[in-house]
């Protein structure tokens, strides 16, 4: 019985590990693009943050989360964390630092 529990947990955890790996690679791709956006903004003297765009993205993600049966509050917190990091990178790019 204990072996069955352990085997099932191992199976679930392997799937979780695969999903985590996919998330890391997806975030890496996202940040490659946002880095390009940061250089574009610097080149054209645009501000690092775009509050209107950020709000639209939050609303969009909350709606997607609701459709996916994911807590919209969690999805918003997750996106806000990413947005803050992107803005920090854009500020570094603007200031001539390496993000």
């Amino acid at each position: 019985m204990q072996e069955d529990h352990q085997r099932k947990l191992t199976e679930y955890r392997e799937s979780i590990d695969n999903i985590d790996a996919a998330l890391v690679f997806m975030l890496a791709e996202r940040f490659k693009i946002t880095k390009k956006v940061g250089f574009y903004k610097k080149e054209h003297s645009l501000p690092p943050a775009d509050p209107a765009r950020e709000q639209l993205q939050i609303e969009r993600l909350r709606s997607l989360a609701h459709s996916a049966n994911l807590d919209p509050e969690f999805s918003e917190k997750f996106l806000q964390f990413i947005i803050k990091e992107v803005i920090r990178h854009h500020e570094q790019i603007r200031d001539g630092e390496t993000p």
Side-chain angles (χ1 to χ4, degrees):
M1 187 68 142
Q2 185 63 22
E3 287 180 20
D4 289 340
H5 293 310
Q6 194 58 45
R7 187 171 33 254
K8 198 61 165 171
L9 284 173
T10 298
E11 178 186 321
Y12 292 149
R13 288 174 178 159
E14 286 174 356
S15 290
I16 290 168
D17 291 349
N18 289 341
I19 293 166
D20 288 347
L23 286 170
V24 167
F25 281 99
M26 293 296 291
L27 284 170
E29 283 301 309
R30 189 184 197 288
F31 278 96
K32 283 180 191 175
I33 300 300
T34 60
K35 188 175 184 178
K36 290 178 183 182
V37 170
F39 283 108
Y40 183 86
K41 286 180 173 184
K42 179 181 180 176
E43 181 181 335
H44 297 281
S45 301
L46 299 170
D50 184 346
R53 162 83 174 153
E54 293 157 20
Q55 188 57 45
L56 286 173
Q57 284 298 94
I58 288 169
E59 291 170 12
R60 181 178 156 270
L61 199 66
R62 286 183 67 91
S63 177
L64 288 170
H66 182 73
S67 297
N69 294 317
L70 180 67
D71 180 8
E73 292 295 319
F74 169 77
S75 67
E76 181 174 344
K77 288 177 188 176
F78 181 72
L79 184 61
Q80 285 178 336
F81 175 78
I82 292 171
I83 289 170
K84 285 178 187 175
E85 190 65 13
V86 167
I87 292 169
R88 187 176 71 80
H89 289 182
H90 289 184
E91 289 170 344
Q92 288 175 325
I93 291 167
R94 176 199 62 202
D95 298 340
E97 301 170 15
T98 302

